[in-house]
């Protein structure tokens, strides 16, 4: 076996399909986000504007968050020192779990090192604990949810995206004695649409199913206190498990679940992805704790972000650019070709100092490749006009059609 040839061919396939991922070498400018410095392909750092960060509210730059992290660093040092069971359970972790449980109106919460791990560990463990469990998964669920369901080894049924009739048909035909778990997201981050959570909960109650809602793109962003779509729509109490992240709107790092104490205890006690990994650094936990507490009390960041997203959607549409319909803060611009998506991204960065990554398969279906913009509270009108002007020029240069 020529191992190197096999590996080389695998990479060559990605290049040929226009799907090879390139990591852009940047440093954000503290205190002036979305301004940053790019080190890729330049003699020295080049100033750029970041348009694709998931730090939706710029909380990673917030003075209260930075101060909390600095205080923790000088108080307890850098790392946690171990797993939660062996030396890595700090008072910061306990406080943050209590704050997250309160955010979602649940009895308890459990921290993980990332949103990916919280999904994979919780779904795989929960489905294994329930004998004969059948998981009903929305077809656009995140890769981490798919991995968790797959790793559980349980039966699964894929329902068409947000199609309640199809979900009910699958629930109705399943063994009525089997445990059932409906897994879905609140905000689907590539299209920017929202799940009909109340209606899903209606079906769950009708067919005696548990519900698992991934709120990673909604926590901090929606609801009076940033509890997500479940808080905004007043359905958090009807969802069995709410999963979220600390690395997007809260601006730091980590993932979590919130649920009743028994479910939290089961995951805490059985999930290998929780038990056998070093806990989050208390420095990170302190920053996330400050962010959660701030966004519970302040709606200013959410309001500014929503206003910015609405303004950018309008400007793109008025320029004839193919902005996709979105009910959320996500602003996707359809390209429909991986090579062109990468080309547009490259021109924006090299010539205009505008950084946005192309979104290609398998993150989105083939033929729906796009650019995904995430305007934040600090993206002003001048930045938006510069972005739209650059896109119009590139569309013309590449002989792509604008709407009349």
């Amino acid at each position: 076996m020529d191992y190197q040839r096999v590996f080389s061919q695998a990479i060559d396939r990605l290049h040929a399909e226009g799907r090879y991922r390139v990591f852009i070498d940047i440093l954000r400018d503290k205190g002036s986000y979305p301004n940053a410095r790019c080190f890729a392909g330049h003699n020295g750092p080049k100033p750029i504007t970041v348009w694709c960060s998931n730090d939706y509210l710029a909380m990673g730059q917030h003075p209260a968050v930075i101060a909390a992290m600095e205080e923790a660093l000088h108080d307890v040092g850098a790392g946690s020192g171990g797993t939660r069971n062996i030396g890595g359970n700090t008072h910061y972790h306990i406080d943050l779990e209590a704050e997250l449980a309160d955010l979602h109106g649940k009895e308890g919460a459990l921290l993980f090192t990332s949103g990916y791990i919280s999904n994979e560990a919780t779904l795989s463990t929960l489905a294994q604990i329930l004998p004969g469990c059948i998981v009903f998964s929305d077809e656009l669920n995140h890769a981490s949810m798919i991995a968790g369901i797959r790793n559980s080894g349980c039966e699964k049924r894929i329902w068409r995206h947000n199609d309640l009739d199809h979900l009910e048909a699958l629930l109705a035909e399943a063994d009525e004695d089997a445990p059932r778990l409906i897994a879905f997201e609140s905000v689907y981050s590539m299209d920017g649409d929202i799940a009909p959570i109340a209606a899903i909960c209606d079906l769950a109650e009708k067919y005696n199913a548990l519900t698992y809602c991934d709120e990673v793109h909604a926590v901090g962003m929606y609801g009076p206190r940033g509890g997500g779509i479940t808080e905004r729509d007043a359905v958090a109490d009807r969802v069995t498990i709410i999963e979220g992240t600390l690395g997007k709107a809260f601006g730091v790092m980590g993932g979590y679940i919130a649920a009743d104490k028994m479910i939290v205890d089961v995951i805490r006690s059985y999930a290998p992805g929780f038990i056998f990994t070093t806990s989050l650094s208390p420095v990170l936990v302190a920053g996330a704790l400050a962010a959660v507490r701030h966004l519970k009390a302040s709606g200013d960041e959410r309001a500014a972000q929503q206003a910015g997203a609405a303004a950018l959607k309008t400007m793109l549409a008025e320029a004839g650019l193919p902005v996709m319909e979105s009910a959320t803060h996500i602003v996707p611009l359809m390209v429909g070709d991986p090579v062109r998506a990468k080309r547009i991204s490259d021109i924006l960065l090299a010539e205009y100092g505008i950084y946005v990554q192309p979104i290609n398969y398998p993150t989105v279906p083939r033929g729906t490749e796009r650019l995904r913009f995430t305007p934040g509270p600090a993206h002003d009108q001048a930045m938006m006009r510069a972005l739209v002007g650059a896109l119009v020029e590139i569309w013309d240069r590449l002989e792509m059609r604008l709407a009349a």
Side-chain angles (χ1 to χ4, degrees):
M1 168 65 70
D2 184 346
Y3 295 106
Q4 290 300 314
R5 180 178 59 83
V6 174
F7 297 147
S8 179
Q9 288 176 343
I11 295 298
D12 288 344
R13 286 196 298 272
L14 294 179
H15 280 292
E17 296 172 11
R19 296 197 294 120
Y20 184 75
R21 297 173 188 260
V22 176
F23 298 157
I24 305 301
D25 184 0
I26 68 170
L27 286 175
R28 297 200 293 177
D29 294 337
K30 178 189 168 194
S32 63
Y33 177 79
N35 295 315
R37 291 155 282 162
C38 179
F39 293 82
H42 309 292
N43 294 327
K46 171 185 175 179
I48 62 169
T49 304
V50 178
W51 278 98
C52 56
S53 174
N54 284 339
D55 186 0
Y56 294 133
L57 303 179
M59 290 304 296
Q61 303 284 307
H62 197 281
V65 174
I66 294 171
M69 296 179 75
E70 289 177 338
E71 181 181 350
L73 177 65
H74 293 291
D75 183 26
V76 302
S80 70
T83 66
R84 291 289 292 276
N85 187 52
I86 306 176
N89 185 49
T90 75
H91 193 63
Y92 289 105
H93 293 77
I94 301 300
D95 277 354
L96 180 53
E97 286 174 341
E99 205 73 47
L100 292 167
D102 172 78
L103 177 65
H104 296 292
K106 299 297 185 185
E107 293 179 346
L110 190 66
L111 286 173
F112 295 82
T113 51
S114 73
Y116 188 104
I117 298 299
S118 56
N119 270 336
E120 192 283 328
T122 302
L123 285 167
S124 62
T125 301
L126 196 65
Q128 287 174 356
I129 291 292
L130 295 168
C133 181
I134 303 173
V135 178
F136 299 81
S137 177
D138 186 287
E139 68 176 339
L140 294 189
N141 277 342
H142 190 265
S144 57
M145 301 175 74
I146 295 169
I149 296 165
R150 181 185 297 118
N151 292 342
S152 74
C154 70
E155 284 190 55
K156 65 177 180 295
R157 304 283 188 273
I158 310 300
W159 48 291
R160 290 187 293 271
H161 178 53
N162 281 350
D163 187 333
L164 295 173
D165 291 337
H166 189 215
L167 173 59
E168 180 162 21
L170 293 176
L171 287 164
E173 70 183 22
D175 181 355
E176 63 182 18
D177 294 325
R180 307 169 198 202
L181 173 65
I182 304 172
F184 59 97
E185 301 181 37
S186 61
V187 171
Y188 289 85
S189 65
M190 291 302 120
D191 292 339
D193 58 343
I194 296 174
I197 301 176
I200 292 171
C201 290
D202 290 342
L203 291 177
E205 291 168 7
K206 180 177 179 179
Y207 292 95
N208 191 29
L210 303 178
T211 48
Y212 183 100
C213 181
D214 176 322
E215 285 257 50
V216 296
H217 290 278
V219 290
M221 302 294 295
Y222 299 92
R225 301 194 307 159
I229 299 296
T230 52
E231 183 193 26
R232 187 199 72 175
D233 294 353
V235 291
D237 61 313
R238 301 181 65 193
V239 176
T240 311
I241 301 173
I242 294 173
E243 185 267 348
T245 184
L246 304 168
K248 292 184 171 62
F250 293 125
V252 189
M253 179 182 176
Y256 66 90
I257 60 166
D260 68 40
K261 287 184 178 179
M262 183 61 71
I263 289 177
V264 169
D265 199 21
V266 165
I267 303 305
R268 182 188 71 87
S269 301
Y270 281 91
F274 173 81
I275 296 170
F276 297 107
T277 193
T278 300
S279 66
L280 281 170
S281 161
V283 175
L284 296 172
V285 178
L289 181 60
V292 171
R293 285 174 172 167
H294 177 83
L295 290 175
K296 277 184 175 181
S298 172
D300 293 346
E301 292 82 4
R302 286 188 284 276
Q305 197 283 329
Q306 289 290 333
L312 181 59
K313 291 174 189 176
T314 298
M315 292 171 69
L316 291 168
E318 289 178 348
L321 290 158
V323 59
M324 299 169 62
E325 185 175 342
S326 165
T328 64
H329 58 283
I330 307 295
V331 184
L333 189 67
M334 179 59 68
V335 178
D337 176 81
V339 175
R340 275 187 166 174
K342 179 65 167 61
R343 177 66 176 145
I344 296 167
S345 172
D346 288 345
I347 294 173
L348 284 171
L349 184 62
E351 299 182 21
Y352 291 95
I354 291 171
Y355 173 40
V356 60
Q357 282 286 67
I359 306 297
N360 295 331
Y361 176 86
T363 306
V364 295
R366 296 181 194 275
T368 67
E369 293 81 6
R370 65 200 67 177
L371 303 175
R372 175 182 175 272
F373 298 95
T374 54
H379 286 93
D380 59 30
Q381 292 288 312
M383 291 176 179
M384 293 185 192
R385 287 192 295 270
L387 169 64
V388 173
L391 287 167
V392 169
E393 187 280 320
I394 295 168
W395 243 251
D396 180 67
R397 186 192 312 187
L398 299 182
E399 299 182 340
M400 298 168 66
R401 180 176 297 178
L402 294 170

